[in-house]
Amino acid sequence: MGLSLQQFVMVAGAHLLALLSPGPDFFLVARSALLRGWRKTGAVCFGIACANGVFIALAVGGFAALHRHGLAFALVQAAGCAYLFYLGVLMLRHARAASIEAHVQDGSPATQTGAWHTRFAMGFASAILNPKNALFYASLFALLAARDAPFGAQIVYGVWMFAAVFGWDLLVAMGIGHPSVVARFTRHSATIERTTGAVLLAIGASVLTMLAREWL
């Protein structure tokens, strides 16, 4: 398979640095963990990981069609901005001082079944509409291809990165969604909602500004 330990360390290190850079996905995970606890946030984390898996599969398969100055990339950026604006406005409009512990302890089957799909979809949409994810994996696997990394090794790297995304986001959720942390923020759920909404709006506005400067 030609798996090089030195190359694996390079790939894993670059991916770790990318994970440590906070973006929309991080704020969604943090918000969900504080409002619902880390167990229910697992669906958001899995959605984010699956979206990353799509980009990884496309990059490994050589279908990285998104280029920084291409129309497809601009359209993905615009769609991502629209989604961030939608989430931000939604959180600002519906922010209220609800009991976080009630959300965490809610065990009704209907809530668990419907909410899991909603949380998964939110995480998946956030990550799949983030053009930075597409660029990162396209650039990384293009570099690996240029260095003649075997296809089998690239698959191993891809599986590792999928697991790393899911594991890292779940670790963040577990840390933020710990019962003691959740209890501390119980009375501030409205502030958490408004802050997250404002951050998502700010990120969307900054990306939209750069997009307008480039194309207008």
Side-chain angles (χ1 to χ4, degrees):
M1 183 168 54
L3 183 62
S4 167
L5 179 60
Q6 183 179 2
Q7 190 177 73
F8 177 79
V9 171
M10 179 200 73
V11 171
H15 190 237
L16 177 60
L17 290 176
L19 288 177
L20 292 177
S21 176
D25 298 344
F26 173 83
F27 290 104
L28 284 180
V29 170
R31 166 189 173 271
S32 180
L34 285 172
L35 297 180
R36 298 180 178 87
W38 72 269
R39 288 182 176 84
K40 289 189 175 182
T41 304
V44 179
C45 300
F46 189 59
I48 293 171
C50 286
N52 279 262
V54 170
F55 286 129
I56 291 170
L58 290 174
V60 172
F63 298 106
L66 294 178
H67 303 286
R68 174 171 291 276
H69 300 292
L71 179 60
F73 182 73
L75 291 176
V76 172
Q77 278 188 311
C81 290
Y83 183 69
L84 291 181
F85 284 136
Y86 166 76
L87 284 181
V89 171
L90 198 66
M91 291 176 190
L92 289 175
R93 287 185 59 188
H94 298 283
R96 63 184 183 277
S99 172
I100 297 178
E101 292 179 339
H103 287 293
V104 175
Q105 296 173 0
D106 184 6
S108 62
T111 300
Q112 288 181 344
T113 302
W116 192 93
H117 297 289
T118 301
R119 294 192 298 273
F120 173 87
M122 180 177 291
F124 185 89
S126 173
I128 204 71
L129 290 174
N130 186 350
K132 289 184 179 180
N133 291 336
L135 280 178
F136 173 78
Y137 292 115
S139 301
L140 182 60
F141 281 96
L143 176 62
L144 291 173
R147 295 191 175 186
D148 297 323
F151 182 73
Q154 293 187 43
I155 292 179
V156 171
Y157 298 150
V159 172
W160 165 264
M161 285 186 280
F162 172 87
V165 169
F166 182 58
W168 171 256
D169 285 339
L170 201 57
L171 188 63
V172 170
M174 291 175 67
I176 297 177
H178 190 275
S180 62
V181 179
V182 172
R184 184 176 302 176
F185 284 90
T186 298
R187 299 180 180 179
H188 305 286
S189 58
T191 302
I192 294 170
E193 290 276 82
R194 294 191 185 99
T195 301
T196 306
V199 168
L200 294 181
L201 287 174
I203 294 175
S206 65
V207 175
L208 191 61
T209 300
M210 290 187 295
L211 187 63
R213 289 176 178 174
E214 183 173 349
W215 287 87
L216 297 181

